[in-house]
Amino acid sequence: MPRYGITLPLPLVSLPDHRVILEQLADLGYTDAWTGEFAGVDAFTPLVLAAAWGSPSLRLGTAVVPVYTRGPAVIAQTASALADLAPGRVVIGVGSSGPQLVTGMNGVPMAEPYRRVRDTVRFLRQVFTHGVVTGPFDTIDFEGFQLGYPAAEPPRIMVGALRTRMLRLGFREGAGSITNFLAAEDIPTVVRALGEDRGRGELVARIFVCPTEDVEYARAAGRRMLAHLFTRPSYRAFHEWLGRAEVVALVNKYVDSGDPLRAAAAIPDQVVDGILIHGNTARCREQIERYVDAGVDTPVVMLQSSPELLAGGPAAVWRTVRELAPR
């Protein structure tokens, strides 16, 4: 496969202890390091470390930076500084995130997510191309902005996307789209939604991997994750669109009635096993390859804790990163 990424930071490993891993990622076959931004480490600090400690061939990407909790000018400044550290190797993925992060955790009103993401992409395109922004935008009011420290090789822009409009936005106005929380069997639905736009950009998928042969542990962890996910409006709509409306409705019914255990139990093994990859590392690699076969350009491993990792600590995490590397 042409590209193969991993998500930073890794579980159970402190940021300073990532150095030995970052120094060897490219030699193992990893081409990309990606981050997210929710309730843990921010999206940019691990990438600064990767720029300093990693191979000069390693591509660095955010998947994703929320457009409500960081203003467009702040995103532009931070992204340009990162691109100065890693010329030609930075991808800034932006997305709407959801009410839990935007409003619940940051107190920021969230309205018109599609138009806000679209306007942020257009803002970034203007500033990365011309150094200044003149607008106009529907959802961003500003008095003008000039990037005082532009990078010689500006970042590429992608869109965190779940359904048709956002997916097409990433391909039409950016360099592609980033999706996640889906099975390999779901990728053809995503590709069909892109239609003729598919050839215009790159499809990145973050893939959740729990490296354990303890099937019961993995399925229990997967059910907890999905029972929460299926109640979030954007992911509820996403999985309804993917064909899981009956399962999603059942989960929400039990959650609304105050029975979260029954909600988790309502998720079939097939759904859990498709979205949370588990097994030994050889089997996990095979499952990751299925995403590529289905149409993903860049698979990005999102490593999850497992009994083996919890028992072995950072050394076990590093061993697993080596074993999950592309063959």
Side-chain angles (χ1 to χ4, degrees):
M1 56 190 75
R3 306 208 69 88
Y4 192 88
I6 194 160
T7 302
L8 303 178
L10 295 162
L12 309 176
V13 182
S14 69
L15 284 177
D17 287 341
H18 275 69
R19 181 165 191 160
V20 65
I21 299 173
L22 288 168
E23 288 175 342
Q24 298 181 47
L25 274 183
D27 291 337
L28 292 172
Y30 291 93
T31 62
D32 292 38
W34 292 77
T35 57
E37 192 160 87
F38 185 66
V41 176
D42 72 282
F44 288 100
T45 301
L47 297 184
V48 171
L49 298 180
W53 295 338
S55 165
S57 68
L58 197 64
R59 187 171 69 164
L60 314 176
T62 63
V64 294
V65 174
V67 298
Y68 291 97
T69 54
R70 289 182 184 264
V74 172
I75 295 175
Q77 290 171 303
T78 314
S80 186
L82 181 61
D84 194 36
L85 290 173
R89 297 189 284 125
V90 174
V91 178
I92 297 301
V94 296
S96 64
S97 189
Q100 182 180 10
L101 170 67
V102 175
T103 305
M105 294 167 58
N106 286 282
V108 178
M110 184 176 177
E112 301 186 276
Y114 173 81
R115 296 209 301 167
R116 181 57 182 258
V117 173
R118 181 203 63 195
D119 287 352
T120 301
V121 170
R122 292 176 177 177
F123 182 104
L124 295 174
R125 284 176 58 194
Q126 285 191 25
V127 76
F128 292 155
T129 302
H130 305 293
V132 296
V133 182
T134 58
F137 305 102
D138 294 333
T139 63
I140 301 171
D141 294 325
F142 72 109
E143 299 178 359
F145 175 70
Q146 180 172 352
L147 188 61
Y149 195 77
E153 297 184 60
R156 300 169 73 208
I157 305 164
M158 289 189 183
V159 172
L162 299 179
R163 291 180 290 158
T164 302
R165 292 182 76 200
M166 284 289 196
L167 285 164
R168 290 181 176 174
L169 174 66
F171 279 73
R172 290 176 179 178
E173 302 206 23
S177 293
I178 306 156
T179 191
N180 70 167
F181 283 117
L182 76 175
E185 291 79 7
D186 299 323
I187 298 301
T189 302
V190 172
V191 172
R192 284 193 299 270
L194 287 169
E196 295 180 356
D197 294 324
R198 177 65 184 94
R200 298 180 180 177
E202 178 182 353
L203 181 61
V204 179
R206 190 165 57 173
I207 302 168
F208 290 74
V209 178
C210 183
T212 181
E213 297 189 69
D214 186 338
V215 175
E216 294 307 312
Y217 174 93
R219 286 178 174 167
R223 283 191 166 88
R224 287 193 300 270
M225 177 180 75
L226 294 177
H228 171 69
L229 191 79
F230 289 168
T231 64
R232 294 169 62 185
S234 58
Y235 283 102
R236 177 175 183 170
F238 180 43
H239 283 276
E240 289 171 344
W241 179 68
L242 291 172
R244 300 189 178 97
E246 291 185 9
V247 173
V248 169
L250 203 55
V251 168
N252 279 272
K253 172 187 172 182
Y254 291 134
V255 169
D256 291 343
S257 67
D259 195 345
L261 295 178
R262 199 170 180 186
I267 305 173
D269 289 346
Q270 182 181 4
V271 173
V272 177
D273 295 347
I275 299 173
L276 179 65
I277 290 174
H278 55 88
N280 61 37
T281 49
R283 182 183 183 278
C284 289
R285 284 201 315 274
E286 291 173 358
Q287 296 301 305
I288 293 167
E289 289 170 2
R290 293 180 61 232
Y291 284 81
V292 177
D293 293 340
V296 168
D297 297 308
T298 304
V300 178
V301 173
M302 178 71 176
L303 193 61
Q304 305 292 291
S305 293
S306 68
E308 294 87 341
L309 297 186
L310 291 168
V317 173
W318 178 220
R319 182 172 61 252
T320 301
V321 170
R322 291 198 303 267
E323 294 175 356
L324 285 173
R327 295 291 186 261

